Amino acid sequence: MKLPPILERVFKSKSGRLTDKLRLKQNRQLGLIPARYDSNNIQKSICGYCSTGCQLDIHTKSSRPGGLRHGTTHPVNLGMACPKGWEALEPLNAPDRGRVPLIRDVDHTFRQAEWPEALDYFCQRFKEIQNQHGNESVAFLGTGQITNEELALMGALAKFGMGWVHGDGNTRQCMASAVTAYKESFGFDAPPYTYADLELSDTLIFIGANPCIAHPILWHRVMRNPHRPKIIVIDPRATETTAAATTHLAIRPKSDLTLLYAIANILIQNDWIDHSYIDQHTELFDAFARFVKSYSIDRAVEATGLPASSVMELASKIHEGKAVSFWWTMGVNQSYQGTRTAQAIINLALMTGNIGRPGTGANSITGQCNAMGSRLFSNTTSLFCGRDFENPADREDIGNRLNIPADRIPNKKSLPYHEIMKGIEKGDIKGLWIVATNPGHSWIDQSRWFKSIRSKLEFLVVQDMYESTETAQEADLFLPAAGWGEKSGTFINSERRFGVIEKVQDPVGEARSDFDIFKDIADHWGCGELFEHWKTPEDVFQILKTLSMHTPCDFSGIKDYSMLQKNGGIQWPHIQNQQNGDLPEKERRLFEDGRFHHPNGRAHFVFEETTPNPESVCPNFPVWLLTGRGTSAQWHTQTRTAKSKMLRQMAPGSVYVELHPADAHELGIKTNDLVVIRSRRGSLEAHARVQASVQQGQIFIPMHYPEVNQLTHPSFDPYSHQPSYKACAVSLSKRT
Ligand code: SF4
């Protein structure tokens, strides 16, 4: 495996070989691996990787973590965890952790700095840029990896304290299309399900999702389903999930929207719809029925490559199911028409009455451990809890609740992530603050990050656990942050469940929690008095409760962290003075009363003609490249998972490509041959895996390797602005 230079230096012995012994020795010197742990001293925490939100029981001794088990009684994971959960403590011990602030010197090397100097430098440089070029010349990029309390403080500090207008998060890359779809269809970003629905459905339909490896514990919940459910997977590629499904519909890339509209048409033509539900709880159905008339079975066959019988069979199974649930992830969201595709799924659930009942729903599973928290509290494109920056009443309301002048709240929305990037390229945005994300690896058409984005920035601050990421190595100022396990706060999982993360060890070196860094920046900037009541994460949790009151996500009935711990987490909404008081239900789904969040209480059918993929295959680039998650042992840019020996052993160490045997035969490629893959934007070399997991004319490369986004095409959904990572045109040849 190719390691970042800093990691290589630390992991390698003089002989140049990677040695775990050396690593263990270094960790012992740092006091990070206690020899024993006390099984009576257990702290319960929510896992800091994915949005499933599993509870981990961490055994500690002398304030240091030792062993780890998985919460056996927690309503989410029921005693299970995936490999990342088992290894959750490992990344804390990595030798490339940022331990002190670093300032880029005149000779372009990093020098160590004390915190006061680093914070002064942060404020001085950003203020200089703002004074010279205005408040819109700076921006921040956040993450779904930090706590609700940190997200809220970061957004409030930047926008109300420092006068910034623009800030977005890496959550734009994973579930912005689902957010926009829910807002337009339901009137609020409200994923309606509870995980128990996975066990209660008789028909589960997964679209662009591979939960076996992306959300293994949710797949475990499917395997517990006692109803012998039909499991249908719509995915161009044969995956671990399709192998376990009852039906795999291997469609052509990005033909999902046409298929979903055709299914809606078949359901309507056969009168397989729930008239009573449509009449009582929805609007715009008649227009939708007229719209989908042109989406015939023939049209679906032509777009998807499926036989007509498979299209018809899918519609029949939806009709026959008594409790049909639809689940989607990034195969839908990361598309140039992701919002409309998500809404086509929502439309199917609404027209068949498969929503608000056990085992049903139009259910987006999100990615990062606190992507759901960022949706409510990051204060990026929406003002707290789904409010609107452009609405004076909403600004007044937040100003009153926070006791800050409303005119400190920007009256316009932030630019979305890709517009911030474009603003940097155009020279409009000159200062950027990146917190816990790694666009140097993950941004689409990545070579632009280094060629035309980084070089245009006058000042780049990176705040992260590791000083070795591709992005941190480009920083002018690096601020070392505590990681999961070194701080406390709350996350929200995919089923809207708040859970507590616990501090089980002190941050390494001089690293500080993101919360403490934000507080310190506020004081150095001179706006600390605005946040005088935001003293601790739990103080901020209480503030967020008041901000949520009378909104659809109202969780003012959750007293405090101990109530969350006692109940295995609590799903929003949970409202004060409700009849069952301190005894929230273990599981709760939304819309059981058929009332949605639009003013008239009805859900909307939203639809639009399909459009062609912005990039097409051609004689020079004749192959479709699909990207996605590789194994359950890898997480995103591998910033953390690459630190675990066990996880490294479970995943291929270098980039590989899956290609179809017929294509391999034609090109004279065998498994393990080195092949060159080129797109209109860049190229990479990868080892071949010849297997029929992909269709002819398609290849698959996992997203976890830094080279992959040199190939991807920078197209974006027009409504959610989410990048379309999933299908771009490439060429393939054996390296000579
Ligand atoms: S499924 Fe997700 S939350 Fe659960 S242990 Fe694995 S990474 Fe952590």
Side-chain angles (χ1 to χ4, degrees):
M1 180 175 70
K2 182 149 176 22
L3 294 166
I6 289 177
L7 250 190
E8 247 175 281
R9 272 204 307 280
V10 181
F11 275 143
K12 284 183 177 177
S13 68
K14 280 182 192 152
S15 68
R17 299 188 55 178
L18 302 179
T19 63
D20 289 322
K21 206 171 151 194
L22 178 60
R23 179 170 169 239
L24 199 63
K25 192 174 155 200
Q26 286 170 331
N27 286 338
R28 286 234 166 86
Q29 282 167 352
L30 294 165
L32 292 173
I33 303 181
R36 293 156 60 87
Y37 62 86
D38 177 358
S39 60
N40 292 323
N41 192 2
I42 298 172
Q43 285 180 262
K44 294 183 182 303
S45 197
I46 299 301
C47 176
Y49 277 108
C50 89
S51 66
T52 304
C54 298
Q55 187 185 75
L56 307 176
D57 293 350
I58 301 161
H59 301 249
T60 56
K61 183 178 172 71
S62 307
S63 302
R64 293 224 175 97
L68 189 146
R69 300 283 184 278
H70 302 104
T72 49
T73 55
H74 195 259
V76 167
N77 49 319
L78 312 171
M80 301 291 289
C82 83
K84 296 185 291 296
W86 281 111
E87 289 291 281
L89 294 169
E90 280 298 297
L92 295 176
N93 303 338
D96 62 329
R97 285 292 305 277
R99 288 180 163 75
V100 289
L102 301 171
I103 291 177
R104 177 88 53 200
D105 232 332
V106 279
D107 65 355
H108 295 291
T109 58
F110 274 137
R111 71 171 168 81
Q112 298 188 354
E114 300 288 331
W115 272 104
E117 183 192 3
L119 295 167
D120 283 343
Y121 186 48
F122 177 102
C123 297
Q124 177 215 322
R125 290 293 289 119
F126 277 126
K127 281 184 178 180
E128 279 170 5
I129 294 171
Q130 278 173 260
N131 289 339
Q132 209 179 338
H133 303 286
N135 286 346
E136 297 197 42
S137 63
V138 290
F140 66 90
L141 292 175
T143 175
Q145 293 288 334
I146 60 177
T147 65
N148 293 317
E149 296 78 2
E150 290 172 334
L151 283 161
L153 181 52
M154 176 175 65
L157 164 65
K159 297 211 168 177
F160 315 156
M162 292 153 60
W164 295 17
V165 177
H166 302 305
D168 202 358
N170 61 11
T171 43
R172 180 77 63 183
Q173 292 160 277
C174 70
M175 56 14 158
S177 297
V179 172
T180 309
Y182 281 137
K183 278 185 181 169
E184 290 180 359
S185 296
F186 295 163
F188 194 78
D189 173 24
Y193 61 99
T194 186
Y195 290 159
D197 289 322
L198 292 159
E199 300 177 22
L200 297 169
S201 291
D202 60 20
T203 307
L204 296 108
I205 301 174
F206 291 93
I207 306 136
N210 185 9
C212 269
I213 62 161
H215 297 91
I217 299 309
L218 297 189
W219 186 251
H220 168 66
R221 300 290 296 260
V222 175
M223 292 295 97
R224 286 166 47 96
N225 187 318
H227 306 291
R228 299 176 60 82
K230 296 184 184 78
I231 302 171
I232 301 160
V233 183
I234 301 171
D235 193 321
R237 192 168 72 101
T239 66
E240 295 80 354
T241 306
T242 64
T246 46
T247 306
H248 173 204
L249 299 176
I251 59 171
R252 292 201 181 103
K254 293 298 111 216
S255 60
D256 43 7
L257 185 53
T258 302
L259 175 65
L260 295 165
Y261 284 155
I263 296 297
N265 191 23
I266 297 169
L267 293 170
I268 294 166
Q269 298 308 321
N270 287 280
D271 200 20
W272 291 343
I273 56 176
D274 187 335
H275 291 280
S276 148
Y277 193 89
I278 292 167
D279 291 347
Q280 288 179 46
H281 304 300
T282 72
E283 64 181 35
L284 300 172
F285 175 74
D286 290 345
F288 177 63
R290 283 194 299 277
F291 167 79
V292 292
K293 262 189 181 160
S294 67
Y295 286 83
S296 61
I297 295 183
D298 288 348
R299 193 168 167 187
V301 167
E302 193 187 335
T304 62
L306 296 174
S309 57
S310 295
V311 177
M312 197 62 209
E313 195 184 330
L314 174 59
S316 301
K317 283 180 178 159
I318 293 171
H319 167 59
E320 288 159 10
K322 299 283 176 278
V324 182
S325 58
F326 301 84
W327 308 83
W328 79 90
T329 60
M330 306 320 151
V332 168
N333 291 338
Q334 290 177 337
S335 164
Y336 63 94
Q337 48 189 1
T339 302
R340 293 293 177 253
T341 310
Q343 285 165 328
I345 298 168
I346 293 169
N347 294 343
L348 290 178
L350 291 172
M351 66 197 285
T352 55
N354 277 301
I355 196 155
R357 292 187 291 110
T360 66
N363 306 328
S364 146
I365 307 170
T366 195
Q368 302 181 74
C369 52
N370 200 28
M372 288 286 286
S374 82
R375 289 153 86 145
L376 295 179
F377 304 125
S378 67
N379 228 6
T380 48
T381 41
S382 295
L383 187 54
F384 285 122
C385 302
R387 294 178 179 85
D388 186 353
F389 278 105
E390 292 172 358
N391 182 334
D394 282 354
R395 295 197 301 275
E396 195 69 35
D397 183 24
I398 288 294
N400 289 339
R401 292 186 199 218
L402 291 179
N403 197 22
I404 61 165
D407 60 9
R408 292 195 78 122
I409 301 174
N411 59 7
K412 63 193 280 193
K413 289 185 202 309
S414 165
L415 291 173
Y417 200 132
H418 74 300
E419 293 289 346
I420 290 174
M421 292 300 199
K422 269 193 207 156
I424 296 168
E425 283 180 307
K426 283 195 293 181
D428 296 341
I429 292 177
K430 296 170 186 300
L432 186 66
W433 176 21
I434 295 178
V435 178
T437 186
N438 186 13
H441 175 139
S442 64
W443 187 240
I444 199 160
D445 186 14
Q446 176 211 81
S447 55
R448 276 171 62 207
W449 164 257
F450 294 104
K451 277 189 214 146
S452 57
I453 298 175
R454 172 61 191 105
S455 60
K456 286 281 177 66
L457 282 170
E458 291 179 11
F459 189 48
L460 172 64
V461 178
V462 176
Q463 181 171 319
D464 202 286
M465 282 174 75
Y466 303 101
E467 59 191 36
S468 59
T469 69
E470 289 86 350
T471 312
Q473 289 186 38
E474 295 287 317
D476 295 305
L477 170 64
F478 172 79
L479 302 176
W484 174 92
E486 296 173 331
K487 59 186 182 180
S488 58
T490 56
F491 289 159
I492 306 175
N493 75 357
S494 274
E495 55 164 0
R496 312 177 319 282
R497 183 180 299 273
F498 279 89
V500 176
I501 67 158
E502 292 276 12
K503 179 177 173 179
V504 293
Q505 73 172 36
D506 288 330
V508 298
E510 298 293 313
R512 293 183 186 179
S513 71
D514 293 292
F515 189 89
D516 287 343
I517 296 172
F518 299 143
K519 284 285 288 177
D520 287 342
I521 289 172
D523 290 338
H524 279 254
W525 193 275
C527 60
E529 80 284 353
L530 285 180
F531 306 103
E532 63 177 336
H533 300 301
W534 303 46
K535 288 194 177 68
T536 66
E538 190 140 12
D539 291 339
V540 176
F541 183 78
Q542 297 301 329
I543 290 168
L544 296 181
K545 276 168 57 178
T546 66
L547 297 184
S548 78
M549 284 172 93
H550 312 302
T551 72
C553 66
D554 190 334
F555 61 99
S556 55
I558 303 175
K559 246 192 242 156
D560 50 23
Y561 286 1
S562 67
M563 184 175 172
L564 287 172
Q565 289 286 37
K566 198 169 115 200
N567 290 284
I570 298 171
Q571 289 162 286
W572 66 255
H574 183 70
I575 300 168
Q576 227 163 19
N577 299 325
Q578 65 181 34
Q579 278 181 344
N580 53 359
D582 275 4
L583 291 172
E585 306 95 311
K586 261 195 158 179
E587 301 268 359
R588 187 188 316 127
R589 70 187 57 78
L590 302 179
F591 311 131
E592 287 179 322
D593 58 0
R595 281 200 64 76
F596 294 85
H597 298 297
H598 284 298
N600 63 2
R602 289 171 176 265
H604 292 183
F605 283 88
V606 188
F607 47 89
E608 188 177 0
E609 289 292 352
T610 57
T611 53
N613 193 329
E615 183 165 73
S616 50
V617 289
C618 66
N620 289 338
F621 299 100
V623 176
W624 284 113
L625 165 65
L626 316 177
T627 64
R629 204 176 291 276
T631 68
S632 62
Q634 290 165 296
W635 179 251
H636 290 187
T637 65
Q638 299 200 82
T639 306
R640 282 181 292 166
T641 47
K643 309 296 190 290
S644 154
K645 181 185 175 192
M646 185 185 98
L647 297 181
R648 289 201 304 275
Q649 284 174 339
M650 289 177 70
S654 61
V655 61
Y656 65 90
V657 55
E658 294 176 10
L659 74 157
H660 191 274
D663 290 334
H665 179 73
E666 194 179 315
L667 295 166
I669 295 170
K670 296 190 198 62
T671 288
N672 287 331
D673 281 352
L674 209 49
V675 296
V676 182
I677 299 134
R678 288 193 174 82
S679 77
R680 293 176 175 94
R681 296 154 291 282
S683 65
L684 62 80
E685 291 183 0
H687 286 282
R689 285 187 177 186
V690 179
Q691 54 192 56
S693 53
V694 286
Q695 301 176 50
Q696 234 179 311
Q698 298 170 25
I699 59 172
F700 171 80
I701 305 178
M703 64 197 258
H704 311 291
Y705 303 98
E707 303 91 334
V708 177
N709 282 314
Q710 291 177 21
L711 303 175
T712 46
H713 180 252
S715 50
F716 301 87
D717 180 279
Y719 308 104
S720 68
H721 310 294
Q722 180 155 353
S724 184
Y725 282 101
K726 292 299 184 192
C728 69
V730 296
S731 68
L732 182 71
S733 58
K734 185 173 173 178
R735 203 188 77 166
T736 49

